[in-house]
Amino acid sequence: MKKYTIKKPAGGLHIVHPQKFQIDYKNELNKAQYDAVTSINDPHLIIAGAGTGKTRTIVYRVAYLVELGVKPEHILLLTFTRKAAQEMLRRASILLDHRCERVSGGTFHSFSNSILRKYSNLIGYERNFTILDQGDAEDVMNLIRTRLKFDTRERRFPRKETLYDLYSRSINTKASLTEILTIDYQHYLEDEQDIRKVHELYTEYKITHNTMDYDDLLLNFNKLLKQNEPVRAETSNHFKYIMVDEYQDTNKLQAEMVKLLTYKHQNIMVVGDDSQAIYAFRGATIRNILDFPDDFPGCNVIKLEENYRSTQSILNVANEILKRAID
Amino acid sequence: MTLRHKYSKILFTNKSEGNLPQLIIAENENLQSKFVVQKILELREQGTHLEEIAVLFRSSFLSFDLEIELAKANISFRKYGGFKFIETAHVKDMIAYLRVLENPRDVVAWNRILLLVDGVGPRSAEKIIEDILHRRADTSISDFWKDFNRYPHSVTELFELLKSISTDKFPPAEKASRIITYYHPMMKKKFDDHTKRKKDLEMFEQIAERYKDVGSFLTDLALEPPNESIADIEAVDRDDEHLTLSTIHSAKGLEWHSVFIIYALDGRFPTMYAANNVEELEEERRLMYVACTRAKENLFITYPINIYDRESGTILTKPSRFLEGLNDKLLEPWVVDEEG
């Protein structure tokens, strides 16, 4: 016999009449901020200049989504540090109510970690994998370098730091080893095959010993979602509204993560300022924010330009510094 | 490569015009430091708390001289950017013990703690690790720690410790505490400044108190390390106000009433390195933009001249190219004058 139960329509938002909102969004925000906060579905890019109330905007948007009836668990907020996410959610909770504390928030790395702990067996890891920091990763490189007897050669072979740097950069920037060597380490071009060998063994080593380095957290997240349609669908369906802060300082793997996460919907808002991109040395690429409208067609761009922090004299100097930028 | 497009924007505010930002030349590095110290004291007398003041710089080493002058003037400060708590050798040792407990196949961690044991060198460490991995490849974690007795006494001692704390009955802080007791004699041998480091370990134990299981503790340490070693905190009385010293990277997103940018000297900011590459140069420019926009009311940009650059063999004398030639009505030029 068939069993009949009732459930709420999937993904449906309550239609809340503006007058019923607890928060007076229109009065508490300026025009651009209000537009950002109330733009819900589809891709949005918020260009937030320094001191223009970026955090405030994110906090209000979290509250707005929750007021609309989106389940807090279905909202994902990715930030540059975990402290930033905690702070924003704390402020949203004060602004609206404690529901906002249940919003999922963290860094790309901590978010990947939480998903990987659930599904690590699908990509050949046990759940109790440990994480190698940069120093540990370099030590492993050294171990392999010695094991392959590259330490006793006549010619100079890259040191462990260089081996790791080459590895991490080729992963983060998705550039080939040949490219990176040609640009920065011309003198090691001849050793390319041997460097590749070290990197291969390094990759094997991590799997055999149930460890991941920082890049692996992102790389394996993408691998997991790419190779497993059910996990991809489940994850994307779960996180229905995604926000990313400091988008100008994300790397290529993170941009890829965003695409995978939004594949069931396009409800993504990234916030950032291309003029404040300062993490290229760690593999971040300003291209992510510049190319966002191409990566997400139909994207709506909103600019926050009213500054609440500095005097006009200070802003004049800042504006002038940017004006002389080389295009 | 040129950027296909940028998002043009011009910041504006309803706040007052305010004081003109200043560009200040000092004849040498120490004069720069002395000027900054004096100006900070002045601001403080006028009612700006030290909490509301920051000194920012391109690279961590650029503040060394200033740090000495601040200490002389009895101004407490906290420094951000540069070495972190988690990167210190003794804290890394602690983490390695916890890591083998969590994941007995973590060879890097094994290697680290075995090398600490008396009489164990790289070769015997490797042998022991091989033995561990082969003999116990298939055992579950709870069985893993049983029956270690074929090793030299000093190694057995390590296994005894690990075995005794491998149970889930102990919370992470208890495990950390027992490891510290075991580790302390080794630390005494290994480091001259072990008393100072001991405090870091106490801090480590204190942080562990917040966790229910070792796994999440380790994950947090790896992903969100605590910002500073106690070495930095120690200089500061907790109730006392303190000034912020920070690299620009670490100042991201923050703001202060008054901001100093020191060493705005071409060759230091932008660095010599960056000057050869348009992309890197533009990133340095954005860094200057980030630094300036941290200030709410006062912005002082200083640079010393007559700085010898070893790598290029030249003497650096010019202000940062991002500021050079800026209209006097935007950025007021000043020179530090030493009197009396």
Side-chain angles (χ1 to χ4, degrees), chain A residues 156-172:
Chain A
R156 186 157 74 126
F157 192 72
R159 301 189 316 159
K160 60 176 182 177
E161 292 86 357
T162 312
L163 287 168
Y164 177 69
D165 179 52
L166 286 167
Y167 177 83
S168 178
R169 270 172 49 198
S170 64
I171 288 191
N172 266 304

Side-chain angles (χ1 to χ4, degrees), chain A residues 45 47-52 80-83 107 109-111 113 117 126 128-137 139-140 143 147 205 207-211 214 217 246 248-249 273-281 286-287 289-294 301 303-322 324-327, chain B residues 1-21 86-87 92 99 102-108 111-112 126 133 141 211 215 218-225 248-250 252-257 278 280-283 285-290 292-299 301 321-327 330-331:
Chain A
L45 168 60
I47 297 294
T52 55
F80 197 69
T81 62
R82 199 158 52 173
K83 208 173 133 210
T107 61
H109 289 89
S110 67
F111 174 69
N113 175 68
R117 296 278 169 193
E126 286 166 41
N128 64 339
F129 64 84
T130 40
I131 301 167
L132 300 175
D133 69 17
Q134 187 179 331
D136 301 322
D139 287 348
V140 177
L143 211 80
R147 204 169 282 168
Y205 177 98
I207 297 171
T208 323
H209 297 99
N210 201 29
T211 57
Y214 287 163
L217 290 173
E246 309 275 13
Q248 78 281 358
D249 286 325
D273 180 1
D274 52 323
S275 308
Q276 295 187 67
I278 53 175
Y279 274 96
F281 73 97
I286 192 173
R287 299 280 358 149
I289 193 164
L290 297 179
D291 293 343
F292 187 81
D294 299 332
V301 182
K303 286 185 200 171
L304 308 184
E305 290 176 298
E306 180 166 7
N307 175 296
Y308 296 93
R309 178 185 293 153
S310 312
T311 62
Q312 191 62 49
S313 298
I314 290 169
L315 294 181
N316 290 342
V317 170
N319 285 333
E320 190 63 26
I321 290 169
L322 276 194
R324 303 151 130 221
I326 304 158
D327 271 326
Chain B
M1 183 189 81
T2 60
L3 298 178
R4 191 173 51 75
H5 54 223
K6 287 193 292 188
Y7 304 103
S8 68
K9 64 185 152 311
I10 293 172
L11 296 179
F12 65 94
T13 184
N14 279 323
K15 287 179 69 169
S16 66
E17 272 304 305
N19 301 327
L20 270 191
I86 188 112
E87 287 158 1
K92 290 201 78 164
R99 267 175 36 189
E102 183 67 10
N103 172 18
R105 269 154 63 201
D106 191 332
V107 169
V108 199
N111 197 48
R112 187 170 186 109
E126 205 178 333
L133 292 180
I141 292 195
Y211 292 86
L218 285 176
T219 300
D220 273 11
L221 282 174
L223 296 181
E224 293 282 328
I248 299 166
H249 283 104
S250 295
K252 179 174 170 169
L254 303 175
E255 58 179 32
W256 292 270
H257 175 278
V278 178
E280 284 181 36
L281 202 56
E282 285 311 298
E283 176 131 333
R285 179 192 310 281
R286 294 192 291 266
L287 213 45
M288 183 64 89
Y289 175 76
V290 168
C292 292
T293 51
R294 299 309 95 201
K296 294 199 263 188
E297 299 293 331
N298 295 316
L299 176 62
I301 308 177
R321 69 189 67 189
F322 308 132
L323 304 169
E324 203 183 15
L326 236 68
N327 194 320
L330 286 180
L331 187 63

Side-chain angles (χ1 to χ4, degrees), chain B residues 312-324:
Chain B
S312 64
T314 55
I315 294 183
L316 308 176
T317 53
K318 285 176 147 185
S320 169
R321 69 189 67 189
F322 308 132
L323 304 169
E324 203 183 15

Side-chain angles (χ1 to χ4, degrees), chain A residues 23-183:
Chain A
I23 299 161
D24 187 356
Y25 295 94
K26 208 156 206 165
N27 267 316
E28 293 177 30
L29 301 165
N30 70 30
K31 169 84 173 68
Q33 289 172 340
Y34 179 78
D35 286 347
V37 165
T38 54
S39 300
I40 297 305
N41 293 312
D42 308 320
H44 301 278
L45 168 60
I46 312 302
I47 297 294
T52 55
K54 181 188 67 154
T55 304
R56 186 179 173 82
T57 304
I58 296 173
V59 168
Y60 272 78
R61 188 165 188 267
V62 169
Y64 187 77
L65 284 168
V66 173
E67 279 213 68
L68 275 183
V70 178
K71 276 197 180 151
E73 295 80 8
H74 292 169
I75 304 171
L76 175 63
L77 171 60
L78 295 171
T79 53
F80 197 69
T81 62
R82 199 158 52 173
K83 208 173 133 210
Q86 285 165 350
E87 176 64 13
M88 287 176 196
L89 297 180
R90 194 184 62 82
R91 279 175 58 178
S93 302
I94 293 169
L95 182 67
L96 185 65
D97 54 50
H98 63 273
R99 278 178 294 172
C100 298
E101 276 164 20
R102 301 208 311 269
V103 169
S104 317
T107 61
F108 279 93
H109 289 89
S110 67
F111 174 69
S112 302
N113 175 68
S114 66
I115 300 289
L116 288 170
R117 296 278 169 193
K118 262 206 233 165
Y119 302 108
S120 58
N121 60 318
L122 293 177
I123 49 160
Y125 274 91
E126 286 166 41
R127 288 174 86 156
N128 64 339
F129 64 84
T130 40
I131 301 167
L132 300 175
D133 69 17
Q134 187 179 331
D136 301 322
E138 288 170 0
D139 287 348
V140 177
M141 289 286 179
N142 206 34
L143 211 80
I144 296 165
R145 187 178 185 271
T146 316
R147 204 169 282 168
L148 292 173
K149 305 224 160 39
F150 289 160
D151 56 332
T152 52
R153 293 211 297 193
E154 307 258 306
R155 261 171 58 81
R156 186 157 74 126
F157 192 72
R159 301 189 316 159
K160 60 176 182 177
E161 292 86 357
T162 312
L163 287 168
Y164 177 69
D165 179 52
L166 286 167
Y167 177 83
S168 178
R169 270 172 49 198
S170 64
I171 288 191
N172 266 304
T173 61
K174 300 185 103 188
S176 72
L177 183 59
T178 322
E179 271 175 80
I180 301 172
L181 286 172
T182 313
I183 295 165

